Amino acid sequence: MNKAARLASACCLAGLLCPVFALASPPANPSWDQLDTQQQQVLAPLAGEWNRYSPDKKQSLLAIVPGFANLAPQQQQRAQRKLKAWSELTPQQRHEIRANWKKLQQLPPEQREQVMQRLRQQRAQPDASISQ
């Protein structure tokens, strides 16, 4: 087979396979109903607002699903609690958290670690206002 015939064959084969790849690829902006059972189980805390998310946000959230099964049950529960807590924040609260995270990432590593350590200590201490 000459070079032109091989090229024509390759193009025909590629043309035949393209529809298969198009069908196999997941949608870029899937609605909640388009998610498979595993995706819906992992992302269940976000079900109520899933369809309002941007395509990029959906894709970043879907990226956690494959590794979720490898987490210990306690880690899975923690991840779902965090997803639920995030979904319950107001847009303003989310904006503030993102802004604070961005500031934290811009700190030198030593200073960033000090801030993180203070936050861990604050989380570990019981709320003094509850016991009063």
Side-chain angles (χ1 to χ4, degrees):
M1 191 181 302
N2 67 22
K3 195 173 192 178
R6 280 190 300 223
L7 182 58
S9 294
C11 288
C12 288
L13 182 59
L16 291 172
L17 293 177
C18 284
V20 173
F21 292 132
L23 291 175
S25 64
N29 187 20
S31 68
W32 182 256
D33 295 335
Q34 291 175 302
L35 301 181
D36 64 36
T37 305
Q38 181 188 21
Q39 291 169 328
Q40 287 184 353
Q41 287 174 346
V42 172
L43 301 171
L46 306 175
E49 61 183 73
W50 178 263
N51 291 332
R52 292 187 300 235
Y53 288 150
S54 71
D56 290 341
K57 180 67 174 173
K58 288 178 181 179
Q59 292 304 314
S60 68
L61 288 166
L62 287 169
I64 69 170
V65 173
F68 191 82
N70 298 329
L71 297 175
Q74 290 176 330
Q75 292 173 311
Q76 289 179 354
Q77 291 170 354
R78 181 174 182 259
Q80 287 195 314
R81 279 194 311 271
K82 288 185 169 278
L83 286 172
K84 181 164 179 49
W86 182 261
S87 73
E88 293 172 349
L89 295 174
T90 66
Q92 179 60 34
Q93 289 170 318
R94 291 178 193 185
H95 175 74
E96 289 172 12
I97 290 170
R98 286 184 187 113
N100 287 339
W101 181 254
K102 188 174 181 178
K103 287 178 192 174
L104 181 67
Q105 295 305 305
Q106 293 172 347
L107 293 175
E110 313 81 41
Q111 195 175 357
R112 182 173 46 230
E113 183 54 39
Q114 289 173 354
V115 171
M116 292 300 291
Q117 187 62 36
R118 278 186 300 210
L119 290 171
R120 285 186 211 106
Q121 289 172 349
Q122 288 174 354
R123 252 188 272 141
Q125 294 175 355
D127 190 355
S129 63
I130 294 175
S131 61
Q132 293 180 355

